[in-house]
């Protein structure tokens, strides 16, 4: 066994998992499981606790399997086309007589004395007789008692996952209820003095507790029965009591936050008092400060506080345990080989998990890395898969083909991948694509030049761009002609003219009038990343005004989207920044116009692909134009117009 300290250490993931499962097996966590009885109609997806036996045979009577006549087989022997036989038609309820027969429908009880059915199409009825021209074999076209299931026969084996067809079999076998493995009861305890439970309680410095709801939903998805504990503040004794009380009523306890090595990170010490800490720290990113412990024979998992870390470590150390506890099969992980759209750096010695947007572009799958911050909830919702960078590598180069683990049942082939400049209109385009063709649009915001490079490398279907040619004063066309001259399938389509300008707090408290004010010492700016069209427009305007960027406080402070610029200003971390009017309007900021720019889309699809036509149709639709223009600062008069072609 590995010797593990009860303070933050960093075990390789495979060693941590080995310790974890060895101890769970040693305490018999997966044996002698609690059982509950549920009605058959509530049994779908549950696991049988033991073998299930039939209370009655199926069918429970001898029944006709065809429409026709019920006969005694020996009365039909010798019948042929040249030697037909006549059988006397008897009425239902009349006693059987030699050479008699009854008319029956499928499912009818076979009349006493009969043992075969002749199909109606092989019988001629006239004057109270049935003429037959072929002999019937005994029990022909008859469903005999127990043909399907015999009373006291096993219907389902133990630890069988009940399917819709099993529901039918159980009911047919005379069962109203079935004993199943009980759902594991899991208590999720959110901890932290900074947490609040509702939006109404939010103040600067307070954090809304969303993780506990996410984790409870995950437990439900994995077959468990979650209970969300009220928030416990950073108090050693209160956290200890919450865990101890939860252990009395739960099969597993999950704590969230307080797992690192800070002064108020009490989880590991508390679990050492209540039981045995097996692991405190795993060499993964995100999620290093995870705690794995056994207390009173039950697993207690301390998950890190950041949402992405919490979800990843729950997926690694909780999901499979809950499945095993219910005797559920471990879910199959589907993968595809995909090309990385840009370089990702990592640290040797740490196994890193990178969430990606995924799409099939020109016959190959492309993975576009999303934001890697452990607190970026958006990366959880926008990703279609995950790339694992092994601890022996320092990253993945752009163009590297690597394995992507797919999330859920999403079809990467139906995902349209947009890499380029951010715009709010793209989100609306994604909604329309979903409505009209069940397609999804995934966006990776890397700026206009990054989008052009993605198209050049056939690593995106769409790139939003707004690049000003300083020599001609025109937008976009010269850039695509220069950088995409060797590509064959692209087309440049207009989306909108949009207002660019400086965003400031409502009321413009610092009296900013234009770009000339950016050099003031009391003004702090927030910029877009290099390669972004907004950044290039700013630099162009500064050059015209002979303003040196080095004199602008905050020029080097970069964010990735217009909305991020607006949020930085609204949050008080900057006084102004360049962006579109719609972003300012969305967050209640004032807007100082600098100019109007053209925002276009590069479409990169195979010639036979029908999706570009659908996109253009959406861009030209009155409904789409109306929704985008309602955001403010957009003119979609020429939306869908072809601007350039490969």
């Amino acid at each position: 066994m590995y010797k593990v300290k009860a303070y933050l250490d960093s075990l390789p993931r495979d060693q941590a998992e080995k310790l974890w499962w060895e101890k769970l097996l040693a305490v018999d966590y997966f044996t002698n499981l609690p059982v509950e009885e549920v009605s058959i109609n509530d049994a779908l997806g549950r696991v049988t606790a033991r073998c299930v036996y039939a209370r009655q045979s199926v069918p429970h009577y001898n029944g006709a399997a065809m429409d026709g006549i019920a006969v005694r087989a020996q009365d039909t022997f010798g019948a042929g086309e040249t030697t037909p036989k006549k059988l006397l038609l008897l009425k239902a309820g009349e006693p059987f007589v030699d050479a008699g027969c009854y008319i029956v429908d499928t499912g009818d009880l076979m009349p006493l004395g009969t043992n075969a059915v002749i199909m109606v199409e092989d019988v001629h009825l006239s004057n109270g007789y049935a003429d037959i021209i072929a002999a019937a074999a005994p029990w022909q076209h008859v469903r005999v008692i127990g043909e399907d299931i015999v009373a006291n026969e096993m219907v389902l084996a133990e630890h069988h996952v009940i399917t819709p067809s099993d529901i039918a079999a159980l009911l047919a076998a005379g069962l109203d209820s079935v004993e199943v493995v009980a759902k594991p009861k899991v208590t999720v305890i959110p901890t932290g003095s900074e947490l609040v439970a509702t939006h109404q309680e939010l103040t600067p410095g307070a954090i809304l507790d969303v993780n506990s709801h996410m984790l409870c939903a995950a437990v439900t998805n994995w077959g468990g029965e979650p209970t969300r504990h009220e928030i416990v503040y950073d108090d050693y004794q209160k956290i200890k009591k919450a865990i101890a009380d939860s252990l009395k009523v739960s099969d597993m306890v999950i704590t969230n936050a307080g797992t690192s090595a800070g002064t108020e990170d009490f989880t590991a010490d508390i679990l050492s008092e209540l039981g045995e800490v097996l692991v405190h720290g795993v060499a993964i990113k995100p999620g290093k400060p995870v705690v794995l412990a056994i207390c009173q024979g039950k697993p207690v998992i301390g998950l890190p506080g950041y949402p992405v870390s919490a979800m990843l470590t729950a997926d690694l150390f909780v999901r499979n345990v809950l499945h095993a506890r219910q005797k559920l099969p471990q879910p199959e992980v589907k993968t595809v080989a995909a090309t990385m759209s840009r370089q990702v750096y990592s640290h040797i010695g740490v196994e890193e998990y990178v969430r990606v947007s995924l799409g099939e572009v020109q016959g190959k799958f492309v993975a576009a890395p999303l934001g890697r911050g452990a607190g970026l909830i958006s990366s959880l919702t926008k990703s279609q898969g995950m790339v694992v960078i092994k601890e022996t590598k320092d990253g993945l180069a752009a163009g590297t083909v690597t394995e992507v683990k797919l999330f859920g049942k999403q079809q990467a082939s139906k995902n349209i991948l947009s890499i380029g400049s951010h715009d709010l209109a793209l989100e609306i385009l994604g909604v329309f694509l979903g409505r009209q063709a069940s397609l999804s649009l995934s966006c990776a915001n890397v700026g206009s030049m990054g989008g052009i490079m993605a198209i050049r490398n056939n690593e995106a279907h769409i790139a939003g761009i707004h690049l000003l040619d300083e020599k001609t004063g025109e937008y976009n066309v010269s850039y695509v002609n220069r950088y995409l001259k060797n590509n064959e399938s692209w087309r440049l389509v207009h989306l909108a003219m949009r207002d660019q300008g400086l965003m400031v707090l409502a009321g413009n408290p610092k009296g900013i009038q234009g770009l000339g004010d950016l050099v003031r010492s009391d003004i702090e700016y927030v910029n877009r990343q290099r390669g972004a069209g907004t950044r290039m427009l700013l630099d162009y305007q500064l050059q015209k005004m002979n303003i040196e960027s080095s004199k602008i406080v905050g020029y080097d402070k970069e964010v990735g989207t217009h909305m991020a610029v607006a949020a930085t200003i609204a949050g008080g971390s900057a006084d102004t920044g360049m962006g579109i009017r719609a972003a300012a309007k969305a967050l209640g900021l004032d807007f100082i116009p600098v100019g109007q720019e053209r925002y276009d889309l590069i479409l990169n699809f195979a010639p036979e692909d029908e999706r570009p036509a659908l996109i253009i149709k959406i861009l030209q639709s009155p409904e789409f134009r109306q929704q985008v223009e309602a955001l403010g600062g957009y003119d979609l008069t020429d939306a869908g117009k072809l601007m350039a072609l490969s």
Side-chain angles (χ1 to χ4, degrees):
M1 294 287 288
Y2 303 97
K3 186 176 180 181
V4 184
K5 303 172 227 177
Y7 55 88
L8 191 61
D9 203 351
S10 207
L11 281 180
R13 177 187 51 79
D14 56 349
Q15 289 187 23
E17 287 184 341
K18 186 173 186 292
L19 276 172
W20 185 225
W21 283 89
E22 282 180 349
K23 189 64 177 182
L24 288 168
L25 291 168
V27 299
D28 293 328
Y29 187 68
F30 305 115
T31 57
N32 301 317
L33 300 177
V35 170
E36 61 180 329
E37 190 167 346
V38 299
S39 74
I40 300 300
N41 288 327
D42 294 328
L44 182 65
R46 303 297 297 273
V47 177
T48 56
R50 49 185 60 89
C51 298
V52 183
Y53 295 89
R55 290 180 180 169
Q56 65 185 29
S57 295
V58 182
H60 61 280
Y61 64 91
N62 293 331
M66 295 284 181
D67 296 340
I69 59 171
V71 302
R72 184 171 59 184
Q74 67 190 62
D75 293 337
T76 69
F77 294 164
E81 291 187 6
T82 59
T83 57
K85 283 203 168 188
K86 285 185 179 292
L87 299 177
L88 177 66
L89 280 174
L90 302 172
K91 293 181 180 179
E94 287 185 348
F96 181 75
V97 297
D98 289 347
C101 66
Y102 301 87
I103 294 176
V104 292
D105 294 325
T106 302
D108 284 351
L109 174 68
M110 291 291 290
L112 190 64
T114 63
N115 64 357
V117 171
I118 299 176
M119 291 189 296
V120 65
E121 48 264 54
D122 295 331
V123 176
H124 177 67
L125 303 176
S126 65
N127 299 321
Y129 286 89
D131 295 329
I132 60 171
I133 57 173
W139 306 109
Q140 167 185 293
H141 302 318
V142 176
R143 293 198 67 210
V144 298
I145 294 173
E147 176 186 74
D148 192 355
I149 300 170
V150 178
N152 298 318
E153 179 183 18
M154 184 189 299
V155 182
L156 299 177
E158 69 173 355
H159 302 158
H160 174 86
V161 182
I162 297 173
T163 67
S165 55
D166 295 332
I167 299 290
L170 292 169
L171 290 170
L175 295 157
D176 298 315
S177 61
V178 62
E179 288 188 331
V180 295
V181 176
K183 289 176 176 286
K185 292 179 171 58
V186 182
T187 297
V188 177
I189 306 174
T191 69
S193 298
E194 73 282 6
L195 293 183
V196 295
T198 66
H199 295 283
Q200 291 74 20
E201 301 170 78
L202 273 179
T203 58
I207 298 174
L208 185 66
D209 170 34
V210 297
N211 285 3
S212 65
H213 297 277
M214 173 181 70
L215 294 170
C216 284
V219 168
T220 299
N221 200 36
W222 299 331
E225 188 176 288
T227 297
R228 180 182 170 274
H229 196 285
E230 64 182 9
I231 295 169
V232 182
Y233 296 145
D234 289 321
D235 180 284
Y236 191 97
Q237 293 303 325
K238 288 181 179 179
I239 296 174
K240 180 179 177 181
K241 183 178 187 304
I243 296 173
D245 290 346
S246 298
L247 283 167
K248 296 175 184 177
V249 296
S250 303
D251 302 305
M252 173 188 286
V253 176
I254 298 173
T255 68
N256 185 223
T259 60
S260 193
T263 57
E264 293 186 335
D265 291 327
F266 303 131
T267 303
D269 290 337
I270 290 171
L271 296 182
S272 293
E273 279 193 50
L274 295 175
E276 179 185 2
V277 172
L278 305 169
V279 174
H280 185 195
V282 181
I284 57 176
K285 182 181 179 181
K288 176 183 176 181
V290 64
V291 182
L292 306 177
I294 299 293
C295 303
Q296 301 175 24
K298 301 175 181 179
V300 182
I301 305 99
L303 300 180
Y306 282 120
V308 179
S309 300
M311 195 63 229
L312 173 65
T313 47
D315 194 65
L316 290 175
F317 299 109
V318 174
R319 182 186 63 166
N320 289 348
V321 174
L322 290 180
H323 278 98
R325 172 79 175 184
Q326 299 166 85
K327 302 301 181 182
L328 285 168
Q330 298 300 340
E332 179 185 1
V333 178
K334 294 184 178 180
T335 63
V336 296
T339 301
M340 296 296 290
S341 68
R342 58 186 173 87
Q343 185 163 2
V344 176
Y345 296 97
S346 189
H347 297 285
I348 291 178
V350 175
E351 185 176 70
E352 184 164 6
Y353 295 76
V354 180
R355 290 179 178 263
V356 297
S357 289
L358 194 66
E360 188 176 8
V361 183
Q362 302 284 8
K364 68 177 181 181
F365 285 108
V366 176
L370 295 169
R372 295 158 72 187
L376 297 178
I377 297 176
S378 61
S379 70
L380 296 174
T381 61
K382 293 179 179 179
S383 56
Q384 288 82 45
M386 185 158 57
V387 171
V388 181
I389 303 176
K390 294 297 184 182
E391 65 275 9
T392 55
K393 295 185 177 180
D394 61 359
L396 294 172
T400 300
V401 177
T402 189
E403 181 180 80
V404 178
K405 296 183 178 181
L406 300 179
F407 293 147
K409 298 179 180 179
Q410 296 168 334
Q411 298 182 33
S413 59
K414 292 182 72 69
N415 196 46
I416 295 178
L417 190 57
S418 174
I419 299 178
S421 175
H422 168 255
D423 191 273
L424 301 176
L426 288 175
E427 298 168 10
I428 297 176
L429 175 60
V431 172
F432 275 75
L433 287 167
R435 287 176 186 169
Q436 298 188 18
S438 298
L439 297 169
S440 58
L441 180 67
S442 294
C443 299
N445 305 314
V446 298
S448 295
M449 285 306 302
I452 286 181
M453 294 301 104
I455 297 294
R456 187 172 73 173
N457 297 329
N458 279 326
E459 292 171 350
H461 298 107
I462 296 175
I465 63 171
H466 55 116
L467 294 168
L468 176 65
D469 188 325
E470 297 180 7
K471 295 180 180 178
T472 66
E474 293 293 323
Y475 274 90
N476 302 328
V477 174
S478 63
Y479 286 90
V480 293
N481 285 332
R482 184 189 319 160
Y483 290 103
L484 302 180
K485 60 184 178 181
N486 294 323
N487 292 59
E488 298 179 354
S489 301
W490 64 267
R491 69 187 80 179
L492 184 69
V493 174
H494 181 59
L495 196 157
M497 298 299 295
R498 60 184 194 177
D499 294 340
Q500 277 271 21
L502 292 173
M503 295 183 272
V504 297
L505 288 174
N508 194 4
K510 293 203 172 178
I512 298 171
Q513 301 300 312
L515 295 177
D517 290 324
L518 299 186
V519 296
R520 284 166 42 186
S521 60
D522 64 329
I523 301 297
E524 183 167 348
Y525 188 78
V526 57
N527 210 350
R528 290 292 305 279
Q529 77 276 24
R530 288 176 174 80
T534 301
R535 171 78 164 258
M536 297 171 74
L537 175 61
L538 171 69
D539 291 343
Y540 172 68
Q541 295 290 349
L542 293 178
Q543 185 178 12
K544 284 175 59 178
M545 300 172 68
N546 293 317
I547 296 175
E548 295 181 17
S549 61
S550 60
K551 294 182 179 180
I552 299 174
V553 178
Y555 180 86
D556 294 327
K557 183 178 184 178
E558 299 177 357
V559 295
T561 67
H562 296 287
M563 289 301 292
V565 173
T568 302
I569 297 165
S573 298
D575 299 304
T576 187
M578 279 272 284
I580 57 175
R581 185 187 294 273
K585 180 180 176 182
L587 293 189
L589 302 177
D590 283 356
F591 185 78
I592 303 166
V594 170
Q596 197 177 50
E597 65 175 6
R598 201 177 83 211
Y599 184 84
D600 297 332
L601 300 180
I602 310 173
L603 305 183
N604 178 40
F605 295 87
E608 67 276 8
D609 201 317
E610 298 178 353
R611 288 176 292 182
L614 173 62
I615 292 170
I616 292 172
K617 180 181 177 182
I618 291 172
L619 297 182
Q620 294 175 340
S621 69
E623 297 82 7
F624 176 79
R625 293 182 177 184
Q626 184 178 15
Q627 284 200 32
V628 174
E629 289 179 346
L631 297 173
Y634 288 95
D635 179 357
L636 273 73
T637 301
D638 293 324
K641 180 180 178 181
L642 183 66
M643 309 303 296
L645 191 67
S646 61

